[in-house]
């Protein structure tokens, strides 16, 4: 059976030719994928009570207050994202507005994409 033509290593900047089908040279092996157990997300009535308690304690967006703005909080946000190992309890929650939540979520998604990108 004929062999495929050698191709450059898929690591950015590497020009070594690889013909074993892995796509990577010996200097740049792929990192092994390790599955982690995600934090269990709280749902249902327990979550509704936690949200009500949070908004009773902190009716204003904590991130807007840092910027000297006054905005009503509408979202229960995790200070440390669950994906990054943060717990889903009252020690890791903050009250934020929709706008601040969207900005923070975008930044977390970008950080996740950078982590997943091959080096």
């Amino acid at each position: 059976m004929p062999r495929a033509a050698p191709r450059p290593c898929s690591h950015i900047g590497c020009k070594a030719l690889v013909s074993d089908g892995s796509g990577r040279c010996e200097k740049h092996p792929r990192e092994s994928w390790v599955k982690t157990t995600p934090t269990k997300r709280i749902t249902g009535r327990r979550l509704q009570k936690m949200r009500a308690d949070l908004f009773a304690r902190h009716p204003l967006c904590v991130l807007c207050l840092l910027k000297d703005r006054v905005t009503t909080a509408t979202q229960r946000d995790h200070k440390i994202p669950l994906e990054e190992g943060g717990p889903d309890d009252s020690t890791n929650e903050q009250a934020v507005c929709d706008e601040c939540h969207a900005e923070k979520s975008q930044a977390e998604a970008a950080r996740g994409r950078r982590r997943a990108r091959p080096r």
Side-chain angles (χ1 to χ4, degrees), residues 84-104:
E84 296 176 8
D88 194 9
D89 60 20
S90 61
T91 64
N92 188 36
E93 68 182 8
Q94 61 185 352
V96 297
C97 66
D98 290 333
E99 185 179 325
C100 290
H101 187 262
E103 286 176 21
K104 187 171 178 284

Side-chain angles (χ1 to χ4, degrees), residues 30-105:
R30 291 200 186 273
E31 294 177 21
S32 60
W33 183 72
V34 179
K35 184 175 181 179
T36 59
T37 305
T39 303
K40 177 97 170 81
R41 206 173 263 280
I42 295 172
T43 59
R45 292 187 183 190
R46 184 172 168 210
L47 174 62
Q48 291 173 358
K49 176 155 177 33
M50 289 177 78
R51 283 176 48 88
D53 292 345
L54 174 65
F55 295 141
R57 287 191 319 267
H58 303 285
L60 301 177
C61 174
V62 295
L63 300 178
C64 283
L65 289 174
L66 294 174
K67 301 172 189 172
D68 293 327
R69 296 187 310 207
V70 178
T71 311
T72 304
T74 56
Q75 298 280 334
R76 175 183 176 259
D77 183 58
H78 296 98
K79 295 174 189 173
I80 302 169
L82 299 181
E83 183 179 295
E84 296 176 8
D88 194 9
D89 60 20
S90 61
T91 64
N92 188 36
E93 68 182 8
Q94 61 185 352
V96 297
C97 66
D98 290 333
E99 185 179 325
C100 290
H101 187 262
E103 286 176 21
K104 187 171 178 284
S105 295

Side-chain angles (χ1 to χ4, degrees), residues 3-17:
R3 295 182 64 188
R7 295 177 179 219
C9 174
S10 62
H11 183 79
I12 297 171
C14 182
K15 294 186 173 38
L17 295 177

